[in-house]
């Protein structure tokens, strides 16, 4: 049998190899496009915003005048928001992950909870805003407070925290659990003394990434009706407040061109806030990874 | 692990150069002073081997002796490991395949390979076999049909699968999958077939079938087979090379190598004293 | 911890025996699973809360506006004083325009990047680029919105002068950039999970890397790739801030992408940032639109789930 004409094969070879080389370049360019966009985006924000980013900007409240506008209320507001979101979402998220990984038996209820979590992760953030508006702001009468916004944000990032915590808990070798049971430890003792200490770096890394998503989220805050012109700092979790992305949204919408620079300066503050959070996550990951 | 007698080393290096004299038959591969490193670690040391057309050449040796590395050098699959470096030459049909100008795609069109574990593509049996001809430009359905049938017959699996050519190849047993892989290799009408421990993942009956197949394929192809199974080498090969620590210790007619090995280490290995 | 030296001639076993008596160990063993179960239930309650809220308020909306008019109406004019019109099609059209443009940008680029990372890039390059893509995915959408409005739109306007300041192209492209890392990363995962032995098999037949990728790896990883696209599109449908800043607020039922549009999400933002009083029809309309949006994304997510289950390859 001789179906394959070797001469023909050799003739086609150079074309095929050229095509491979060409597409390699195309694939590389597509990858570089994504990276270049990130570079341009950051460069734009720095060039537009850096001249407005100074001590006054950090120390002033917002204003009708671009040169007087500051981000104090929003920055402090975002920190307050985190103070609610972090404990609520961490406790609920890690608790749910522990239940699903350590206690849940394989039954329909468990399957339903899992399925529900993965679907909840796909619900648009603005829909969570509608939930927060109805339940927390109106039904529970919490108003447009730090607490109402914080609870809404906690529910929004809950699926992310559960899933990443589950992964971290799943990575704990079963031998460790067995060793603990082998010494007569109970299930809860094993979880508290063996599973959690092992999994906590992974859990925290995932949680911080989820929290940084909450810092940057705008849509739910808009729907809840968080004000943008705030000339005071929150005094407690029931105070009204504003947050970084809300403030940026407000500035970005204003027609005066100077406010574009103010918005860019606000974005720089937001990005620095996020970089700090992420650095903490990387620090935790590196510090604890070495131990095992 | 093994302990090698150092005093034999000198005598051995002269053996390495002992290339088999072949009066009538042509050689397909001539390996000359081949050295190969993975990073800093040398995996092949000064290999010299001539492989003869339409022979079954077996390569035996303990794990880590470089036998797999060597066979993967023959179609340059070894280059998939990014840190590999080679010196020396492998002449295949008058051209040095280690020359950077030698296109690997061209080489691999002529030198087929069967792997340790069956690795059919997650496609239908038909598409598995037709893959090679298709990438080489054959589109005619009738010709493809013929190639598929002939290749499957050649790999002695046509009767098992002729009624389910369009079912996924993953539905077959391990032994059947391996013969599909051999058929896939035959479909591009190679000159040489490299087999890297092709039966190590198979049960005894499937192994027997593949061994019988090798005997048949020998009529039309030159076959180089790596095996850790000495009985298998003795059963199916014409020539056998014994590798140890990246060197060729002995290369001879299979009958001779297994009955009266000239090197002590070969004798130790085939009598099961190490490895 | 218990010391291994025997204190007061008591053995460790005796100490353990004594500890058993007091401690709240048994109580914790009983109560913790229940507490943890309750935390797991919160996610279920959230879903119930969302569905219940949306249905309840949407129902209220449909006591005021005919559901048929809502579903097939081609005009969305809630602020038109005496004769408001609540036909949702213009908002859906706006959403689909932006989503389609985003998909046109993100799908080819995302898959190309995934192919580069999975099939061509060295380990070192892959380990450098993947975290950068994660950063790109972590940029807040408000930042992307600002970027679309102040950078991408002016560029488009220089190229095509007829494009308005608010349009569908600019937010579409930027949403595409936003979902690109998601497609790239999930598709890369799907392609990397195709075993290497299959690549080797194809290469050993004389294939180029391109042929291996297009004819073997892509078909093998197709379920993962498709579901990543569906998830990313679902994200694009629900994206809010980019379209609120750069898309405009003119809902129109047409195919024009150079003019101001409004998406479902942007409408909710417009009403929320304004002074639509509690209890007005406009107030309830955001729930109806939110419910419509929820149905869209839910269907996409279920589709993604179905694809990855149904076409799962066993290697």
């Amino acid at each position: 049998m001789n179906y394959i004409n070797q001469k023909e094969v050799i003739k086609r070879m150079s074309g095929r190899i050229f095509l491979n080389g060409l597409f390699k370049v195309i694939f590389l360019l597509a990858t570089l496009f994504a990276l270049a966009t990130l570079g341009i985006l950051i460069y734009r924000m720095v060039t537009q915003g850096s001249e407005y980013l100074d001590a006054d900007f950090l120390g002033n409240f917002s204003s009708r005048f671009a040169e007087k506008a500051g981000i104090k209320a929003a920055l402090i507001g975002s920190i307050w928001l985190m103070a609610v979101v972090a404990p609520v979402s961490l406790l609920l998220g890690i608790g749910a992950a522990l239940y699903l990984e350590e206690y849940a038996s394989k039954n329909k209820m468990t399957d339903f909870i899992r399925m529900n979590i993965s679907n909840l992760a796909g619900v648009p953030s603005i829909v969570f805003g509608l939930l927060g508006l109805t339940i927390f702001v109106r039904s529970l009468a919490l108003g447009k407070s730090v607490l109402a916004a914080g609870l809404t944000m906690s529910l929004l990032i809950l699926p992310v925290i559960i899933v990443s915590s589950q992964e971290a808990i799943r990575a704990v070798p079963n031998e460790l659990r067995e060793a603990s049971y082998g010494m007569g430890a109970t299930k809860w003792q094993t979880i508290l003394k063996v599973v959690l200490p092992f999994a906590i770096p992974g859990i925290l890394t995932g949680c911080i990434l989820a929290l940084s998503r909450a810092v940057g989220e705008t849509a739910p805050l808009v729907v809840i009706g968080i004000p943008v012109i705030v000339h005071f700092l929150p005094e407690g979790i029931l105070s009204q407040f504003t947050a970084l992305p809300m403030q940026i949204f407000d500035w970005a919408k204003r027609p005066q061109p100077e406010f574009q620079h103010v918005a860019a300066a606000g974005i720089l503050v937001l990005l620095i806030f996020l970089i700090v959070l992420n650095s903490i996550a990387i620090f935790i990951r590196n510090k604890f990874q070495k131990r095992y | 692990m093994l302990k090698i007698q150092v005093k034999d080393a000198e005598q051995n290096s002269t053996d390495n150069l002992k290339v088999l004299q072949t009066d009538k038959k042509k050689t397909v591969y001539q390996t000359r002073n081949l050295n190969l490193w993975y990073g800093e670690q040398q995996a092949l040391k000064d290999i010299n081997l001539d492989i003869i057309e339409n022979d079954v050449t077996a390569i035996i040796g303990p794990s880590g002796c470089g036998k797999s590395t060597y066979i993967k050098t023959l179609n340059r699959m070894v280059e998939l490991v990014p840190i590999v470096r080679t010196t020396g030459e492998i002449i295949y049909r008058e051209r040095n395949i280690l020359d950077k100008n030698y296109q690997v795609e061209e080489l691999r069109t002529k030198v087929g390979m069967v792997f340790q574990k069956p690795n059919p593509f997650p496609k239908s049996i038909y598409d598995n076999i037709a893959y090679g001809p298709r990438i080489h430009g054959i589109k005619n359905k009738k010709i493809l049909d013929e190639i598929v049938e002939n290749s499957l017959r050649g790999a002695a699996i046509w009767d098992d699968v002729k009624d389910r050519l369009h079912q996924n190849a993953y539905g077959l047993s391990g032994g059947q999958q391996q013969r599909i892989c051999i058929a896939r290799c035959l479909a591009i009408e190679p000159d040489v077939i490299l087999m890297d421990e092709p039966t190590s993942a198979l049960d005894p009956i499937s192994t027997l079938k593949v061994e019988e197949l090798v005997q048949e394929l020998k009529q039309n192809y030159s076959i180089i087979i790596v095996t850790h199974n000495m009985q298998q080498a003795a059963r199916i090969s014409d020539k056998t090379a014994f590798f140890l620590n990246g060197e060729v210790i002995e290369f001879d007619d299979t009958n001779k190598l297994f009955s009266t090995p000239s090197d002590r280490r070969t004798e130790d290995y085939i009598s099961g004293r190490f490895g | 911890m218990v010391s291994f030296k025997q204190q007061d001639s008591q053995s460790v076993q005796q100490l353990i025996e004594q500890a058993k008596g007091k401690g709240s160990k048994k109580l914790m063993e009983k109560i913790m699973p229940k507490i943890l179960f309750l935390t797991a239930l919160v996610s279920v309650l959230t879903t119930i809360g969302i569905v219940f809220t949306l249905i309840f308020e949407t129902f209220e909306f449909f006591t005021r506006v005919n559901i048929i008019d809502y579903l097939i109406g081609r005009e969305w004019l809630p602020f038109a004083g005496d004769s408001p019109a609540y036909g949702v099609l213009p908002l859906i059209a706006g959403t689909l325009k932006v989503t389609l443009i985003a998909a046109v940008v993100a799908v080819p680029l995302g898959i190309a990047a995934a192919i580069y990372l999975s099939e061509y890039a060295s380990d070192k390059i892959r380990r450098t680029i993947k975290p950068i893509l994660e950063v790109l995915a972590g940029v807040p959408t408000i930042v992307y919105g600002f970027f679309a409005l102040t950078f991408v739109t002016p560029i488009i306007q220089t190229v095509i002068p007829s494009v308005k300041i608010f349009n569908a192209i600019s937010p579409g492209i930027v949403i595409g950039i936003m979902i690109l890392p998601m497609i790239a990363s999930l598709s890369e995962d799907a392609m990397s999970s195709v075993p290497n032995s299959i690549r080797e098999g194809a290469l050993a037949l004389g294939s180029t890397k391109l042929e291996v990728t297009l004819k073997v790896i892509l078909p093998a990883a197709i379920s993962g790739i498709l579901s990543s696209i569906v998830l990313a599109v679902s994200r694009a449908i629900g994206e809010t801030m980019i379209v609120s800043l750069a898309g405009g607020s003119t809902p129109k039922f047409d195919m024009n992408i150079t003019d101001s549009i409004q998406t479902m999400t942007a409408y909710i933002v417009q009403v929320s940032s304004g002074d639509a009083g509690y209890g007005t029809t406009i107030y309830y309309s955001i729930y109806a639109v939110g419910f419509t949006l929820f149905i869209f994304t839910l269907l996409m997510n279920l589709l993604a789930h179905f694809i990855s289950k149904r076409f799962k390859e066993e290697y």
Side-chain angles (χ1 to χ4, degrees), chain A residues 175-191 193-194, chain C residues 13 16-17 19-20 25-26 29:
Chain A
E175 297 83 61
L176 287 185
R177 293 188 183 87
E178 282 158 12
S180 171
Y181 292 140
M183 288 186 284
T186 63
K187 188 146 193 168
W188 176 244
Q189 284 175 322
T190 305
I191 290 172
K193 302 251 163 73
V194 177
Chain C
Q13 290 291 346
I16 291 174
E17 213 43 53
K20 256 187 197 165
K25 217 164 90 178
K26 276 202 174 138
E29 278 314 306

Side-chain angles (χ1 to χ4, degrees), chain A residues 31-259:
Chain A
T31 314
L32 291 181
F33 172 81
L35 306 189
T37 316
L38 183 65
I40 293 171
L41 190 142
I42 292 172
Y43 175 78
R44 280 282 297 184
M45 298 310 143
V46 171
T47 50
Q48 275 185 301
S50 53
E51 73 177 289
Y52 275 80
L53 184 63
D54 51 23
D56 280 352
F57 183 73
L58 295 175
N60 285 0
F61 288 112
S62 187
S63 162
R64 280 186 296 127
F65 307 105
E67 52 288 1
K68 284 188 188 165
I71 204 157
K72 187 177 176 187
L75 184 58
I76 304 293
S78 274
I79 293 170
W80 270 93
L81 188 64
M82 281 307 98
V84 173
V85 176
V88 174
S89 63
L90 259 60
L91 284 177
L92 290 178
I94 298 172
L98 279 178
Y99 175 77
L100 289 172
E101 287 304 313
E102 301 289 326
Y103 284 103
S105 44
K106 251 194 159 333
N107 58 28
K108 284 205 173 129
M109 185 66 191
T110 312
D111 282 348
F112 175 71
I113 294 178
R114 279 181 216 277
M115 179 80 185
N116 172 66
I117 289 168
S118 81
N119 275 320
L120 205 56
V123 173
S125 60
I126 196 163
V127 173
F128 280 90
L130 292 171
L131 174 78
L133 175 65
T134 315
I135 305 289
F136 300 127
V137 177
R138 296 204 187 279
S139 302
L140 298 177
L142 299 175
K144 297 161 184 180
S145 62
V146 177
L147 184 60
L151 292 174
T152 308
M153 285 292 189
S154 301
L155 296 184
L156 172 66
I157 63 169
L158 194 56
V160 186
I161 292 190
I162 296 176
V163 171
S164 66
S165 303
Q166 274 182 292
E167 277 167 19
I169 294 168
R170 222 174 289 148
V172 179
N174 242 336
E175 297 83 61
L176 287 185
R177 293 188 183 87
E178 282 158 12
S180 171
Y181 292 140
M183 288 186 284
T186 63
K187 188 146 193 168
W188 176 244
Q189 284 175 322
T190 305
I191 290 172
L192 205 62
K193 302 251 163 73
V194 177
V195 175
L196 270 184
F198 192 98
I200 210 80
I203 292 178
L204 282 183
T205 310
C207 288
I208 291 172
L209 293 179
L211 284 179
S212 50
R213 188 177 156 205
V215 174
E217 266 299 342
T218 324
L221 299 178
V222 179
V223 176
I224 288 176
I226 300 304
V228 282
I229 300 164
V230 173
H231 288 255
F232 53 86
L233 297 178
E235 284 163 355
I237 54 171
L238 289 174
S239 294
Q240 286 214 353
F241 77 112
T242 193
L244 286 173
M246 279 305 292
Q247 191 69 73
I248 295 164
F249 181 45
D250 178 54
W251 287 331
K253 276 192 305 184
R254 299 205 187 177
Q256 303 94 318
E258 311 87 72
F259 269 104

Side-chain angles (χ1 to χ4, degrees), chain A residues 119 122-124 127, chain C residues 230-231 233-239 264-265 290-304:
Chain A
N119 275 320
V123 173
V127 173
Chain C
V230 175
L231 283 177
V233 165
S234 166
R235 177 73 65 82
I237 291 175
E239 172 35 43
M264 293 186 269
T265 51
F291 194 31
T292 313
L293 175 68
F294 178 75
I295 298 283
F296 266 83
T297 54
L298 181 68
L299 289 179
M300 297 300 277
N301 291 335
L302 292 177
L303 178 65

Side-chain angles (χ1 to χ4, degrees), chain B residues 163-210:
Chain B
D163 301 323
R164 42 175 171 161
L165 288 178
H166 295 282
Q167 289 175 18
N168 197 307
Y170 279 62
L172 301 172
S173 73
Q176 288 173 322
Q177 286 186 15
Q178 192 62 302
R179 279 181 287 155
I180 292 290
C181 292
I182 293 172
R184 183 175 70 185
C185 174
L186 299 182
I188 55 168
E189 297 171 3
D191 176 25
V192 182
I193 300 176
L194 309 175
M195 296 184 160
D196 187 3
E197 304 196 25
T199 60
S200 65
L202 304 185
D203 61 82
I205 293 170
S206 303
T207 300
L208 186 65
K209 282 190 175 162
V210 171

